[in-house]
Amino acid sequence: MSFERFSAAPVAEDAVSEAFEIEIASSGEMLQVGESQTILEVLQAAGHEIETMCKEGLCGSCEVDLLEGEADHRDSVLNDAEKAEQNVLMVCCSRARTPRLKLDL
Ligand code: FES
């Protein structure tokens, strides 16, 4: 068996990591994602079970449906068209371009 090494796509230099809110659609719960936190960390800390493998935006296992808001996609899973659709996001690495993201959880 052979292994290929992948590395995460470089984050654009103008990409900023600002705090934002996520809303859990099923409960209305609002969670704050700090500048240095990932959505995944915040969800897990709040007790949400999210499947993960790579935690680097490479595998797609942490995909969550996006109901409202615009994600700042930082993964290498979605193609440009899928990123533009704003229907899903990888919560291990993606952030928000809007103050709030509503997630289908
Ligand atoms: S855990 Fe692999 S893309 Fe998020």
Side-chain angles (χ1 to χ4, degrees):
M1 190 190 294
S2 67
F3 292 92
E4 279 186 64
R5 277 196 71 79
F6 294 94
S7 57
V11 173
E13 278 184 23
D14 62 353
V16 287
S17 295
E18 292 179 1
F20 55 94
E21 274 186 335
I22 51 176
E23 179 180 350
I24 308 303
S26 61
S27 63
E29 186 182 9
M30 302 291 282
L31 300 169
Q32 187 77 19
V33 181
E35 291 173 20
S36 59
Q37 289 177 297
T38 65
I39 299 174
L40 175 65
E41 289 167 350
V42 171
L43 288 173
Q44 289 180 329
H48 296 276
E49 288 195 14
I50 307 290
E51 226 178 281
T52 59
M53 282 176 66
C54 72
K55 297 187 180 176
E56 290 184 61
L58 303 175
C59 72
S61 61
C62 67
E63 181 178 298
V64 171
D65 288 346
L66 177 62
L67 300 177
E68 285 176 21
E70 196 176 317
D72 177 7
H73 296 286
R74 299 187 183 186
D75 63 88
S76 302
V77 177
L78 301 176
N79 62 33
D80 288 347
E82 291 167 330
K83 288 177 180 175
E85 283 172 10
Q86 296 287 352
N87 290 330
V88 297
L89 80 166
M90 303 308 144
V91 295
C92 68
C93 59
S94 297
R95 301 191 66 80
R97 288 205 178 115
T98 48
R100 187 175 59 90
L101 298 178
K102 186 171 181 179
L103 306 182
D104 190 15
L105 288 172

